[in-house]
């Protein structure tokens, strides 16, 4: 009986539980037209991993893979690597983004084994890629405030009004210009606020929007004549090089 029991025990195959393995992916966000990299991590004692990833070619165009060998066709990337003894692996897939929206890169098949060439118990993830539209450059080329010193603008400042006038004494040959843009990304420059002659002088403020659109505000500053006359003709309103 003892001998029979021993024979039966030796003849019965052991049932080994498959080793666990998890495959995780990053979920990147990118601006359309740029490249995006999806990272993949194979955690567990994987000796060899072959993972077929499917992607939507309407959204993504394959560029390259790092971290192992790869093969791809339109819509599929095959990731492959070996590690003996078994251990963690990582891959990086790079794509060019083609259109806005969300798209997933999913596993369509895999073969992951341990050092004994046994199939592992795999928990497979997927990647969600968020592709945002490119930011639109602002066209706002308005001023939010405008004043000169000395002098008072007429009419009072309004962003939609681009022509103003002001009067200064004969002793005033220049004015300080204070102006601020509505959009912080807009640029502003002014000229013609010095070397006043008796009569009308033109001060110009140029506002350039983020998208390059320009708007001009002008102030006609009248310098009063002196008691003994004085020069006439106004300034030349020469735009600076910048």
């Amino acid at each position: 009986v003892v001998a029979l029991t021993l024979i039966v025990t030796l003849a019965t195959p052991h049932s080994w539980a498959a080793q666990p393995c998890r495959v995780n992916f990053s979920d990147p966000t990118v601006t359309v037209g740029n490249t995006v990299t999806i990272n993949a991590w194979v955690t567990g004692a994987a000796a060899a991993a072959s993972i077929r990833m499917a992607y939507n070619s309407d959204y993504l165009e394959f560029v390259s893979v790092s971290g192992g060998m790869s093969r791809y066709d339109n819509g599929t990337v095959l990731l492959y690597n070996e590690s003996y003894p078994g251990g963690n692996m990582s891959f990086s897939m790079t794509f060019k983004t083609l259109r806005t929206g969300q798209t997933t890169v999913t596993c369509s098949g895999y073969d992951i084994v341990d050092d004994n060439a046994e199939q592992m118990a795999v928990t497979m993830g997927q990647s969600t890629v968020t592709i945002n539209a490119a930011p639109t450059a602002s066209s706002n080329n308005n001023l939010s405030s405008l004043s000169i010193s000395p002098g008072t603008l007429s009419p009072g400042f309004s962003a939609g009004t681009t022509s103003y006038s002001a009067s200064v004494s004969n002793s005033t040959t220049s004015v300080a210009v204070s102006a601020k843009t509505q959009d912080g990304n807009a640029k502003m420059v002014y000229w013609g606020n010095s070397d006043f002659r008796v009569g009308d002088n033109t001060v110009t403020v140029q506002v350039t929007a983020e998208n390059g659109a320009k708007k001009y505000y002008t102030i006609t500053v009248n310098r009063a004549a002196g008691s003994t006359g004085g020069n006439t003709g106004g300034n030349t309103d020469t735009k600076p090089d910048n």
Side-chain angles (χ1 to χ4, degrees):
V1 174
V2 173
L4 181 60
T5 301
L6 181 59
I7 293 172
V8 171
T9 301
L10 293 175
T12 302
H14 291 282
S15 177
W16 301 100
Q19 293 195 64
C21 175
R22 181 179 293 273
V23 184
N24 293 322
F25 297 87
S26 61
D27 296 315
T29 298
V30 65
T31 299
V32 67
N34 293 330
T35 58
V36 62
T37 296
I38 301 171
N39 296 314
W41 300 274
V42 181
T43 56
S50 176
I51 306 170
R52 185 176 296 276
M53 301 300 299
Y55 64 92
N56 188 333
S57 57
D58 289 337
Y59 288 85
L60 302 173
E61 177 183 306
F62 178 78
V63 175
S64 63
V65 165
S66 63
M69 295 177 287
S70 68
R71 186 174 71 249
Y72 74 96
D73 54 28
N74 190 30
T76 304
V77 178
L78 177 65
L79 308 175
Y80 180 79
N81 206 347
E82 296 179 353
S83 175
Y84 293 97
N88 297 335
M89 301 179 186
S90 63
F91 301 91
S92 293
M93 296 174 285
T94 300
F95 298 88
K96 180 180 178 181
T97 55
L98 304 177
R99 60 186 294 183
T100 60
Q102 275 196 338
T103 185
T104 57
V105 180
T106 59
C107 176
S108 60
Y110 62 85
D111 185 15
I112 303 177
V113 299
D114 60 19
D115 286 332
N116 297 315
E118 297 286 344
Q119 295 291 328
M120 302 185 74
V122 177
T123 301
M124 180 63 67
Q126 67 176 29
S127 174
T128 299
V129 182
T130 302
I131 307 171
N132 294 326
T136 302
S138 172
S139 61
N140 187 342
N141 53 14
N142 290 321
L143 289 176
S144 62
S145 64
L146 175 64
S147 63
I148 61 171
S149 179
T152 301
L153 300 187
S154 178
F157 174 75
S158 173
T161 301
T162 57
S163 297
Y164 299 89
S165 62
S167 297
V168 296
S169 66
N170 174 259
S171 61
T172 301
T173 59
S174 64
V175 295
V177 177
S178 177
K180 185 177 180 181
T181 61
Q182 287 185 357
D183 184 354
N185 292 320
K187 297 180 180 179
M188 182 267 296
V189 64
Y190 58 85
W191 60 90
N193 62 311
S194 61
D195 299 324
F196 287 170
R197 296 186 178 186
V198 170
D200 288 341
N201 302 266
T202 302
V203 179
T204 302
V205 180
Q206 174 188 289
V207 184
T208 304
E210 186 181 19
N211 70 354
K214 290 180 171 58
K215 187 173 188 176
Y216 297 91
Y217 292 82
T218 59
I219 307 169
T220 301
V221 181
N222 182 270
R223 179 189 173 196
S227 58
T228 58
N231 57 1
T232 60
N235 65 1
T236 58
D237 186 33
T238 303
K239 181 180 177 180
D241 292 338
N242 61 345

